[in-house]
Amino acid sequence: MRLLVVDFDYFFPVPQDPRHPEAHLYAWAHFETPYYLQEAWGARALAFLLRGLSLPQAQGWEGFWERFRFAPEAQLFYADSNALAFHPRVRAGVEEVVLFDAHHDAGYRSLGEEPACDDWMVFYARQGARLTLYYPPWRDPSLEPEPQVPVVRLLDPGGKVEGVFHRAFLCRSGAWVPSWVDPSFFAFLEAAPLPKEALEPVRPREPRVEALKDRVREEELGLWIMDALRKPR
């Protein structure tokens, strides 16, 4: 039983060099709470727009599913959190996990009794599954600490992936992937050539980008007025 797991943050490049001029705009806290899944993205979007920058988008997801062969009975489960990659419906009988993700999810801190979004791979290792991770080409693996369990970690070379997959799991990772990228996520989900079942509600978020652009214009006007008042008469 081979399980394919895809985290949508694989398709959302972020600067890897802290000296990158925009790196500080991606210095986001990541907690799977309602605030970080929803409201936090407004302020983060505004930080880009106030600097005259376009909002960063998901890249490289088109045609991704064509790289894989699936068994006739294969099914896709999906959720927001990658912790549900170890859901009973997903993990049953799994002997091998192949993960496409920007993070190894094999433990970064003390483990709890239940799997979390950053350590669920450890629970697969405990049940004897073989683990392979493909990082996206933009990711620098040296920035990650060593996994707490054996994981074969590779940079994705692209092309067809060998073997047949009997089950798939997709997560949005809404605390890592911005709300304004949701249209790409749902298009990616729809493109998967498998029957689909949600393990938790995954609804489109409303980034209200146009309202944010109005806010930018208001801020620019306020700054212009303040600058004009400072000029000597």
Side-chain angles (χ1 to χ4, degrees), residues 26-205:
Y26 295 83
W28 300 327
H30 302 113
F31 302 100
E32 291 189 325
T33 66
Y35 173 77
Y36 286 103
L37 289 168
Q38 301 276 357
E39 291 92 339
W41 292 113
R44 293 167 177 177
L46 196 59
F48 285 93
L49 297 175
L50 284 171
R51 292 166 174 79
L53 301 171
S54 299
L55 296 179
Q57 300 295 323
Q59 301 175 23
W61 56 269
E62 299 91 340
F64 179 82
W65 298 113
E66 298 170 9
R67 300 175 58 186
F68 306 94
R69 287 191 296 136
F70 295 101
E73 71 282 4
Q75 183 175 2
L76 171 71
F77 296 93
Y78 67 97
D80 195 275
S81 175
N82 222 359
L84 291 181
F86 199 69
H87 187 280
R89 299 282 304 281
V90 180
R91 70 176 184 253
V94 169
E95 299 170 306
E96 180 181 1
V97 179
V98 179
L99 170 64
F100 286 76
D101 197 333
H103 310 91
H104 61 60
D105 290 358
Y108 302 88
R109 54 189 170 81
S110 299
L111 299 177
E113 294 184 4
E114 298 294 328
C117 62
D118 59 356
D119 61 17
W120 58 272
M121 286 271 272
V122 175
F123 290 79
Y124 271 108
R126 289 176 175 175
Q127 74 174 30
R130 301 184 302 277
L131 308 176
T132 301
L133 162 69
Y134 287 99
Y135 286 111
W138 55 265
R139 181 64 158 143
D140 181 355
S142 70
L143 298 178
E144 286 226 286
E146 287 296 311
Q148 295 186 18
V149 293
V151 181
V152 177
R153 295 192 291 164
L154 306 165
L155 274 178
D156 186 1
K160 296 286 187 180
V161 178
E162 293 184 0
V164 175
F165 290 90
H166 306 89
R167 194 172 297 147
F169 175 83
L170 168 66
C171 74
R172 177 172 62 177
S173 283
W176 281 259
V177 179
S179 57
W180 61 81
V181 179
D182 274 6
S184 294
F185 169 77
F186 284 101
F188 181 65
L189 172 64
E190 182 63 27
L194 297 171
K196 304 167 181 68
E197 179 179 331
L199 296 175
E200 65 179 346
V202 185
R203 302 184 181 94
R205 296 168 291 177

